[in-house]
Amino acid sequence: MDVPRLLEAASLLVPEEIATENDITVNDVWEYLTHDEWEVALGLLEEVGDVHPLPLTFWQSLAIAAEQMRLARSAAWCHWRCYETRHGVIRADLTLTPAEAARRQTAFSGAGVLRPMWNIGRRTATDEPDLCIARLWVEFVPFMEPGGRATVRLAPLCPSKWQHLRTGQVITMHEDRTVAGTAVVLDVQRPSATAAA
């Protein structure tokens, strides 16, 4: 399927009454689609998708369209949202350990590339911390520096191990045995049956 049809198909899944903070609706998206402004339409659809849970096919269509337009970050974001649609959303306020006290000395990409381990309160049979892996997406910034602070989204490798997380819980990030960062859970949303359909 070509880009315009993918974007049109995604647009049809958005309820007309949904609007972003800037009052952008699906009608605005259609206006850009009729003028072949596909990249703008894609960006607006991504924004609209953040307002209201939409089905998996919405994010899949956007991911394919972004890939065809060679928009790597948009494609990565839409694939990330596919994951969240299937498994739920975990957001946290992460503060990284400063470079002088941590193994990490350089910034890392915020686009879901890093897969650190997390101490989320689980214990092994020998009462050691049972570290769990989750990819990390940094909201609103392309890179995160040592000592930096940002809102992040987590995509666990094994989502069932994370079911006990609650808002306000403190978890720690690890790239080795030392603590690489500390996060406070801001939001935990389970997948809705309609969003995953």
Side-chain angles (χ1 to χ4, degrees):
M1 195 179 287
D2 62 4
V3 170
R5 289 190 183 168
L6 287 163
L7 296 176
E8 288 168 9
S11 298
L12 293 172
L13 297 171
V14 179
E16 284 187 35
E17 66 275 7
I18 301 302
T20 67
E21 287 181 6
N22 300 326
D23 291 326
I24 295 167
T25 66
V26 72
N27 292 328
D28 297 307
V29 173
W30 280 101
E31 192 67 31
Y32 285 102
L33 287 174
T34 59
H35 293 97
D36 296 333
E37 295 284 343
W38 303 334
E39 192 171 337
V40 175
L42 173 68
L44 293 179
L45 284 168
E46 289 176 15
E47 283 185 50
V48 170
D50 288 337
V51 175
H52 180 76
L54 291 168
L56 180 59
T57 52
F58 171 84
W59 292 107
Q60 288 171 329
S61 294
L62 294 189
I64 295 167
E67 286 169 352
Q68 289 184 8
M69 289 189 281
R70 292 179 167 54
L71 300 172
R73 190 167 175 93
S74 280
W77 174 243
C78 294
H79 283 297
W80 187 277
R81 292 307 304 271
C82 287
Y83 175 92
E84 289 183 336
T85 302
R86 287 187 198 101
H87 301 288
V89 177
I90 301 171
R91 295 176 66 242
D93 180 14
L94 173 65
T95 303
L96 294 180
T97 304
E100 59 272 8
R103 174 179 166 255
R104 174 169 290 282
Q105 300 295 303
T106 59
F108 61 84
S109 169
V113 177
L114 192 66
R115 296 170 186 236
M117 298 172 289
W118 295 86
N119 183 342
I120 56 173
R122 295 176 56 90
R123 308 297 287 184
T124 66
T126 58
D127 204 35
E128 296 292 320
D130 185 13
L131 301 181
C132 300
I133 297 171
R135 286 188 305 139
L136 174 74
W137 187 285
V138 183
E139 293 185 353
F140 310 117
V141 292
F143 294 94
M144 192 162 179
E145 300 278 343
R149 182 177 176 187
T151 300
V152 299
R153 297 169 93 102
L154 304 176
L157 183 64
C158 186
S160 62
K161 290 185 175 184
W162 296 65
Q163 294 297 310
H164 69 283
L165 277 191
R166 299 288 176 256
T167 302
Q169 185 173 346
V170 176
I171 60 177
T172 55
M173 180 179 121
H174 298 260
E175 293 186 86
D176 58 17
R177 290 181 178 261
T178 62
V179 174
T182 303
V184 178
V185 177
L186 299 174
D187 189 22
V188 179
Q189 297 173 25
R190 307 293 176 227
S192 69
T194 55

